[in-house]
Amino acid sequence: MKTRSDKYAELRAKRAQAYAPAGAEAVDRQHARGKRTARERVEALVDEGSFLELDRFVVHRTNAFGLDEKEFLGDGVVTGHATIDGRQVFLFSQDFTVLGGSLGEAFAEKVCKVMDLAVRTGSPLVGINDSGGARIQEGVVSLGGYAEIFWRNVAASGVIPQISLIAGPCAGGAVYSPAITDFILMTDKISQMFITGPEIIKTVTGEEVSFEDLGGAMTHATRSGVAHLVASDEDNLMDLTRALFSFVPQSNRERPVRYDCDDDPQRSVPALDELVPDSPAQPYDMHSAIEGVVDYGDFLEIQPLYAQNIVCGFGRINGETVGIVANQPNVLAGVLDTRSSVKAARFVRFCDAFNIALVTFVDVPGFLPGTDQEYGGIILHGAKLLYAFAEATVPKITIITRKAYGGAYDVMASKHIRADLNLAWPTAEIAVMGAEGAVKTIFRRDIAAAANPEAKMQELVDEYTERFANPYIAAQRGYVDDVIEASATRGAIATGLEMLRDKRAPRPKRKHGNIPL
Ligand code: HXC
């Protein structure tokens, strides 16, 4: 009979075994791949000593293909809860040392358990992915397990923030769990996401492509828009995750944490009075406006390498998280196109779901013309951004710095789609279109008939600019609430956010709207 002391020794031995279930060599192989183990990752992410593991003794129930002879405590995924900066978070971390982190029935059940607990307790979920996908030996059971996870991702969407870290392979249908979550962070050169790998692609289409070019972090950060942030290595991955975590609330029932702030909310930013060039054709960097107004100039840009003609990200004003959306005159003159519309629409919807006020900086010449855009569905994609801004009921503050032309004026959180506070700088030009386009359209015949068409054109452009390229016609109608000096923008936003703190905007009951997907 085992003594009590034997039983305690047995527990300790099992816990030690669970810590590295595939043994020291497998851990070495993981390190040799330049990767941390599942537990090391969790420990690197959360507050020291705060991780409480669940289900460390769970094992698979499969006999197929020799698995009856292999038992790995934990079944290839580490799950539990911890704190980040003192706030509760639920986590799962796939353990590549166990059967390549492949997902089987018991593995899926463990992930589902922490997802359910996260929703029940109103806590964010962080998933660390490093897996060969469906566990081949478990067959359809593992597909069922994935689908149980997908269903929970959807059910939790807009209820708790869900953050996916990609720290190794993530292939096949497995990509759809991260894809449903709010943010995907990838480690450069270490992680890949794809639906079908290079081998299958070669067989089916004849294309030859490397893992990295197909689904590496830079591919998804610059081309597909799947990745929201790219980390240079695993330390950086954890730093970025904690930074992102600091901006999001525990759940849709709460606001994000309000941090102490000794950056004066009414601080004047004189440099902004010099930001907009005299020539409407000259670009400038909208980051200067954003960094000028947020606390300490701290701005976490989301998807910084994708659709750079729009800038999205988080900052704080007087300690409170704001989501910032801004046209970027430095890239494609800040025009709206298919990619930038979708990027910003998704960001706006995240902020709205999680009680994060929106601050929108506008300098937009319109939608990008061309067959590429029309065939690519700019009608649908532009409508997504319009829909997202119109649907958002969080406080919305809009600052027009320069151009706000045409349909893009309406889309970019205009008063008419229920922004709460619309401000313009004296350099704003709110009009149906730019002066040249307008004059060419309405005075085409007069210009052609003139003795000197070029001079006539210039005269008409000057007249149009004088009459329409300013903020005052919109201000006369109350479409902008005030015209302010750019240097006063931080103070105006801070005061506006205080005014809107308890905003209520009830919407009629419906199952859900039908956003143009
Ligand atoms: C079972 C797997 C596995 C899997 C890897 N392993 N993938 N075991 N099921 N899906 C095992 C390997 O046999 C190996 O075991 C160990 O994990 C490490 O794998 P390696 O190949 O040695 O590692 P590496 O060279 O780094 O390559 C990693 C990899 C590759 C790129 C992920 O293993 C791979 O291509 N795996 C198959 C990927 C795949 O096709 N998955 C199914 C996708 S379909 P030993 O014992 O030798 O150490 C899918 C559908 C999901 O996932 C659908 C959801 C709806």
Side-chain angles (χ1 to χ4, degrees):
M1 198 179 93
K2 283 183 192 162
T3 64
R4 189 174 59 222
S5 151
D6 291 338
K7 289 176 184 172
Y8 273 73
E10 181 187 17
L11 170 64
R12 287 187 199 114
K14 274 186 180 291
R15 287 174 80 101
Q17 191 193 340
Y19 195 81
E25 268 181 33
V27 170
D28 291 345
R29 278 200 298 277
Q30 176 80 350
H31 288 156
R33 288 183 174 100
K35 301 196 286 188
R36 288 198 169 116
T37 64
R39 276 191 185 74
E40 288 167 349
R41 284 169 172 157
V42 170
E43 282 158 14
L45 176 63
V46 304
D47 296 340
E48 204 180 331
S50 70
F51 182 57
L52 280 163
E53 190 172 343
L54 302 172
D55 288 339
R56 75 179 83 214
F57 301 125
V58 163
V59 289
H60 69 75
R61 311 168 190 123
T62 318
N63 297 320
F65 301 104
L67 273 195
D68 49 338
E69 284 164 22
K70 291 184 183 167
E71 186 182 87
F72 300 102
L73 293 184
D75 200 34
V77 64
V78 176
T79 59
H81 58 95
T83 58
I84 295 178
D85 222 359
R87 292 166 50 202
Q88 179 161 279
V89 60
F90 283 82
L91 306 113
F92 67 86
S93 180
Q94 300 175 343
D95 184 351
F96 193 82
T97 67
V98 174
L99 299 170
S102 58
L103 180 143
E105 184 185 21
F107 180 128
E109 286 169 0
K110 286 182 63 173
V111 172
C112 289
K113 186 188 277 187
V114 282
M115 294 179 85
D116 292 343
L117 277 166
V119 171
R120 229 180 288 147
T121 59
S123 318
L125 177 79
V126 174
I128 306 177
N129 296 266
D130 184 3
S131 165
R135 187 173 297 159
I136 294 162
Q137 298 90 325
E138 297 204 33
V140 69
V141 172
S142 89
L143 300 185
Y146 269 120
E148 289 288 340
I149 294 170
F150 302 157
W151 187 88
R152 282 169 175 78
N153 286 131
V154 174
S157 180
V159 179
I160 53 164
Q162 301 180 78
I163 300 174
S164 296
L165 279 48
I166 315 295
C170 182
V175 296
Y176 283 118
S177 172
I180 298 165
T181 64
D182 299 301
F183 296 102
I184 294 179
L185 293 81
M186 295 183 75
T187 317
D188 197 20
K189 309 271 192 314
I190 296 278
S191 64
Q192 299 101 29
M193 297 178 79
F194 45 80
I195 296 273
T196 48
E199 296 267 319
I200 297 179
I201 291 180
K202 194 173 171 196
T203 313
V204 177
T205 70
E207 285 173 289
E208 287 195 35
V209 62
S210 68
F211 276 105
E212 195 57 31
D213 284 349
L214 178 65
M218 290 313 285
T219 295
H220 286 308
T222 61
R223 295 177 74 113
S224 70
V226 166
H228 295 90
L229 290 167
V230 175
S232 50
D233 57 25
E234 293 211 10
D235 280 334
N236 186 228
L237 180 69
M238 302 313 167
D239 286 345
L240 285 172
T241 307
R242 279 190 296 267
L244 176 61
F245 194 82
S246 75
F247 287 108
V248 305
Q250 288 301 94
S251 74
N252 65 344
R253 300 195 297 255
E254 296 182 30
R255 292 170 189 258
V257 176
R258 184 170 196 165
Y259 284 77
D260 290 340
C261 174
D262 48 26
D263 187 356
D264 179 5
Q266 295 299 322
R267 170 172 54 83
S268 168
V269 191
L272 295 191
D273 289 330
E274 315 284 319
L275 182 63
V276 177
D278 277 329
S279 161
Q282 205 177 321
Y284 61 93
D285 188 353
M286 193 61 101
H287 286 106
S288 306
I290 298 167
E291 283 157 20
V293 302
V294 295
D295 295 349
Y296 313 109
D298 282 345
F299 177 57
L300 178 66
E301 189 167 349
I302 300 297
Q303 292 183 296
L305 302 176
Y306 181 78
Q308 292 175 316
N309 41 332
I310 207 153
V311 178
C312 299
F314 298 110
R316 294 190 180 87
I317 304 265
N318 202 14
E320 200 125 35
T321 300
V322 289
I324 292 170
V325 178
N327 306 119
Q328 171 57 291
N330 252 355
V331 179
L332 291 172
V335 77
L336 284 178
D337 59 2
T338 52
R339 286 156 42 112
S340 62
S341 299
V342 175
K343 167 180 165 180
R346 181 146 171 83
F347 182 76
V348 166
R349 297 191 97 219
F350 175 82
C351 293
D352 187 45
F354 290 105
N355 312 313
I356 296 172
L358 286 161
V359 175
T360 306
F361 287 91
V362 183
D363 187 345
V364 62
F367 285 94
L368 183 62
T371 50
D372 186 45
Q373 287 295 307
E374 296 290 347
Y375 299 164
I378 185 63
I379 296 174
L380 277 181
H381 299 306
K384 291 184 172 90
L385 184 55
L386 171 58
Y387 194 108
F389 268 129
E391 186 185 41
T393 57
V394 289
K396 292 184 280 194
I397 298 180
T398 305
I399 296 108
I400 303 175
T401 62
R402 190 168 60 175
K403 297 168 197 165
Y405 290 164
Y409 156 74
D410 281 341
V411 169
M412 291 300 299
S414 65
K415 182 64 91 191
H416 323 281
I417 61 168
R418 306 298 186 269
D420 301 293
L421 184 63
N422 295 65
L423 304 170
W425 290 358
T427 45
E429 303 171 12
I430 307 167
V432 171
M433 61 174 81
E436 277 202 22
V439 164
K440 278 183 189 156
T441 307
I442 52 181
F443 297 116
R444 189 162 42 89
R445 278 198 203 90
D446 305 60
I447 295 166
N452 181 344
E454 257 176 46
K456 181 72 182 168
M457 168 90 184
Q458 194 53 52
E459 181 196 321
L460 290 166
V461 164
D462 289 346
E463 195 187 323
Y464 181 96
T465 305
E466 185 61 27
R467 274 190 76 179
F468 294 114
N470 63 62
Y472 299 106
I473 298 168
Q476 280 165 13
R477 301 209 168 246
Y479 296 173
V480 297
D481 299 293
D482 201 2
V483 183
I484 61 167
E485 295 190 19
S487 50
T489 305
R490 174 171 159 85
I493 297 172
T495 307
L497 289 171
E498 275 315 308
M499 178 267 282
L500 293 164
R501 241 188 112 69
D502 295 321
K503 177 186 173 186
R504 291 280 174 273
R507 286 186 297 192
K509 201 167 154 32
R510 61 179 167 185
K511 189 169 176 190
H512 57 71
N514 189 11
I515 189 165
L517 293 173

